[in-house]
Amino acid sequence: MIEILNEIPFQLDPAVIIKSLRLRTFQPNIEKIVGELVRDIQPIAKPKAVYKVSYIDNKTTDSLEIDGVKFTSRVLRANLDRVERVFPYVVTGGIEIAGYKKAQDLMTNFCIDAIKVHIIGVAANYLLQHVTKKYALGQASSMNPGSLKDWPLTQQKQLFSLLGDTVAAIGVRLSDSGVIYPLKSISGIYFPTEVKFESCQLCQRERCMGRRAAYSPELAEKYK
Ligand code: SF4
C-alpha cells in the first residue's frame, strides 16, 4: 500500500528559525531578514511525502530483501533483526520553494537554507507521527541511505524502486549519481524499535548542524 501526503501542515516561527541559525555574533538585521522570508515562504511552501508498507524477507548476515529488493548493510540488517514490516519513504520540502531566492547576500541565503531545512524537518516528523499512529508502532526509528558508510548513497536506487512512480507525483526525482531533487528532500526507511536509533550515534562527523544524537562508541562497537 502506497500513500501520498500532499497536505502537510506547518507554521514557520521566526524565533525558531533564528535559533536554528546558531549565530555566534550579533546580526542587527536578523529579525527583519527572517521575518520577511517567513512571510514570503509560508504561503508558497507545500511539503509532501510518500511512503509504503513493505515486508522483509531473505535475511542474511549483512543483507535483506524488502518487497523482493535487496539491500546490503550490516546496521540496517541488525536494526531489522526482529522486524517484519517497514515503511520506505521520501519526504520533500516541495518544488514550490526549491528555486526560491531573495537576494544575493550570504546571510539572507543562509536564512533561506535554514527555513528550507526546518520545513523538511517538520515534514519528516509529521510523516513519522502519521505512520507511528496509523500502524500502532509505539516507537519508530529511521535509517537513510548515505548517512553511514555501511549503507551507501548508491542504495537510494533500490529504495526509490520500492516507491515507483509515486515519487514523481510529489515532484521528486533521483539523479543517476544518487542525488535527490529538489535538494531539500530525504529518503529512508521507518521501522518499529523498542530503543530509539539514530544514524548519528554511529557517525563521527564533527560540527554537523543536523546532528540528532551524540556519537556513541559503545553502540558503534556493537554494530561491528
Ligand atoms: S551527525 Fe550529521 S552527517 Fe552524521 S548521520 Fe547525523 S546528520 Fe548525518
Side-chain angles (χ1 to χ4, degrees), residues 47-157:
K48 304 168 194 69
V50 58
Y51 76 94
K52 185 186 182 192
V53 183
S54 293
Y55 295 90
I56 298 173
D57 213 345
N58 293 331
K59 292 174 181 171
T60 69
T61 352
D62 65 352
S63 75
L64 47 78
E65 287 182 11
I66 300 176
D67 289 349
V69 177
K70 187 176 178 184
F71 291 86
T72 305
S73 157
R74 288 183 76 86
V75 178
L76 182 70
R77 167 66 184 87
N79 279 340
L80 302 185
D81 197 37
R82 294 184 196 169
V83 176
E84 299 299 328
R85 187 178 60 170
V86 292
F87 305 86
Y89 68 87
V90 171
V91 186
T92 179
I95 45 173
E96 296 81 3
I97 53 163
Y100 178 86
K101 287 198 175 76
K102 180 91 176 169
Q104 292 305 317
D105 72 286
L106 280 177
M107 182 50 74
T108 303
N109 287 335
F110 182 50
C111 295
I112 292 171
D113 198 64
I115 292 172
K116 289 180 180 176
V117 168
H118 179 79
I119 291 172
I120 184 73
V122 169
N125 192 45
Y126 181 86
L127 175 64
L128 175 61
Q129 300 307 323
H130 175 86
V131 171
T132 305
K133 195 172 166 198
K134 184 163 179 175
Y135 296 94
L137 302 182
Q139 179 171 251
S141 294
S142 174
M143 280 192 66
N144 317 83
S147 59
L148 295 171
K149 242 192 220 168
D150 170 78
W151 197 25
L153 199 63
T154 46
Q155 293 196 29
Q156 295 269 37
K157 276 196 181 129

Side-chain angles (χ1 to χ4, degrees), residues 147 199-200 203 205 208 210-212:
S147 59
S199 296
C200 307
C203 174
R205 185 172 161 186
C208 173
R211 181 172 283 286
R212 298 174 301 277

